[in-house]
Amino acid sequence: MPGRVLVTGASGFVGRNTLAALAARGFEVHAVARNPPAESSVQWHAADLLAPVELDELVAGVRPTHLLHLAWYAEHGRFWDAPENVDWVAASLRLLRAFAAAGGHRAVFAGTCAEYDWTGDCCSAATPLAPATPYGAAKDALRRVVDAAAPGLGVSHAWGRIFFVFGPGEPPTRVVASVARALVRGEPVDCTSGEQVRDFLYAGDLGEAFAALVDTDAVGAFDLGSGVGIRLATLLLRLQELAGRDGLVRLGGLGARPEPARIVAEPNRLTAAVGWAPGDLDAGLEATLAWWRENDVR
Amino acid sequence: MPGRVLVTGASGFVGRNTLAALAARGFEVHAVARNPPAESSVQWHAADLLAPVELDELVAGVRPTHLLHLAWYAEHGRFWDAPENVDWVAASLRLLRAFAAAGGHRAVFAGTCAEYDWTGDCCSAATPLAPATPYGAAKDALRRVVDAAAPGLGVSHAWGRIFFVFGPGEPPTRVVASVARALVRGEPVDCTSGEQVRDFLYAGDLGEAFAALVDTDAVGAFDLGSGVGIRLATLLLRLQELAGRDGLVRLGGLGARPEPARIVAEPNRLTAAVGWAPGDLDAGLEATLAWWRENDVR
């Protein structure tokens, strides 16, 4: 048994896609959410990590050996600038301290590609860390403290930067989910022209990557992406094709917003450390459509 | 009346040297310490800022318009690497949020020259921010979050980097205080050869600088130093001369430790913003000797 892992943000989009991968590696999975779902494949705990006493009691009670910290403020449209980013830096540091005090020895944190400078050729080891938003700055700053403090706390740590993720449970406020849902419904959907090149990763592959990072001792920051850039428009048209539809995705139906031209991960550090490789993109898109066929609630 | 200022770490070496400067500018000064001293020139509050409930209650009770946040873990020899640095980042962020929520609009934080890369020519605007210690990394990370979040919280903020400070109340575990005390006592004192060049600032001048920063709206980071580099050995021999002693300071009596050759502030941003300039170094050294004559308790 590799150990007992505490997963924060476990009921969120990314969290739900990590639990099975951790269980498959033999971890005893303890999942935390403010409002846990009513299902029992893992042990759920109800706690608000922004309440210091709840955080302390949770960690002291579970006594995890491993930590996967995904929880953060994530309200669509607001999270980039929200003051809650400040709270989550503080809560994450308290969590690290409580985890170490309870005997934990391996912690993995969710970072973001928004830690990088997006104005140049993003992203590689040569890309400066220069977040342009309070969200990116908060994650970047948390990573700096964790990097500096974890060794002294006896904690081996990794920082996994999330890029662009799609898949089961993605909120339909986001583009791939909104298009997948429209396609399944047979409804037209207005999109921007989608010229921007992004690194899209299936959520199940991201979950595997996080589980692999939890289950190793590789230290430092890892970019969690496929390494493959694809135009958003290309991805959406491929989704339409896989859905067996035609003419529903209306590229250019929404006005263009200023967007960085290209944001693509360089996952070679991750691959070298844990042997991870992403699955087939089409398989991920198919699984996403299948999930919406099963789970769309109008 | 400029407002009501809450000063954390107020019973510490730097804190004690800021209170009079703030009061002189017309601030209603509220000073916080875990164990406030028994004197009443300002309003003291007993609170442990690492206890979230105490922090919240303090700020909600005082409702300061201004904040000077000096409190940090400062145990000699331990603070560079201590895990408490993590706690103080978290507590400082909670303090910022509580301060903004209580209507505060101007906050000044204590930074450190240890945020800079000390391996090159330190320090100027061209010196990279590359802290080599958990202490420096924690301060640097806190600054990054404050920079990114303060505008959204409606808080005007400044970050004052402390360099090398001496004066009344300096703990005698530190070199200038230990030598001043020995000189007043007439005891010999072993020192290193003292080749390193440092920017030494009298604590009263630092207190004036912090008070000036609190009492303006200039935003960003400011290096709080004299701008003048002096060899440590030169400073200690001058202190001996001013004490009217001879032969007590034994340079080279302690083995040399590896030290950066030169760490000198560039206070031009501060001077430009608030018109501050340091006082005469000899006057500061005289005042330090006078303080030890009055306050040495064997």
Side-chain angles (χ1 to χ4, degrees), chain A residues 145-240:
Chain A
V145 181
V146 172
D147 273 351
L153 294 170
V155 172
S156 158
H157 75 290
W159 182 266
R161 294 196 186 100
I162 298 172
F163 279 64
F164 299 86
V165 187
F166 68 93
E170 184 183 13
T173 46
R174 293 161 38 123
V175 61
V176 179
S178 70
V179 170
R181 184 178 64 172
L183 290 168
V184 164
R185 291 180 175 183
E187 295 173 357
V189 54
D190 286 332
C191 304
T192 65
S193 58
E195 295 301 323
Q196 65 269 37
V197 173
R198 295 289 181 269
D199 185 320
F200 284 100
L201 186 66
Y202 179 60
D205 293 337
L206 179 65
E208 298 283 355
F210 269 124
L213 279 178
V214 171
D215 198 15
T216 181
D217 278 320
V219 165
F222 298 86
D223 291 350
L224 309 185
S226 70
V228 177
I230 182 171
R231 283 172 66 240
L232 174 59
T234 305
L235 184 91
L236 298 180
L237 292 176
R238 182 65 184 153
L239 195 60
Q240 176 174 261

Side-chain angles (χ1 to χ4, degrees), chain B residues 29 31 35 60 65 91 110 137 157-158 185 197:
Chain B
V29 181
N35 301 298
T65 55
H157 75 289
R185 290 180 177 184
V197 173

Side-chain angles (χ1 to χ4, degrees), chain A residues 50 52-53 81 83-87 89-91 93-94 96-97 129 131 133-134 137-138 140-142 144-145 148-149 152-153, chain B residues 50 52-53 81 83-87 89-91 93-94 96-97 129 131 133-134 137-138 140-142 144-145 148-149 152-153:
Chain A
L50 296 181
V53 173
D81 296 310
E84 283 83 354
N85 286 303
V86 174
D87 305 330
V89 176
L93 293 174
R94 190 174 187 98
L96 171 63
R97 285 281 270 154
L129 293 161
T133 61
D140 173 66
L142 173 60
R144 290 170 190 269
V145 181
L153 294 170
Chain B
L50 296 182
V53 172
D81 297 308
E84 284 83 354
N85 286 303
V86 174
D87 305 332
V89 177
L93 293 173
R94 190 175 188 97
L96 172 63
R97 285 281 270 153
L129 293 162
T133 60
D140 172 66
L142 173 61
R144 290 170 190 268
V145 181
L153 294 169

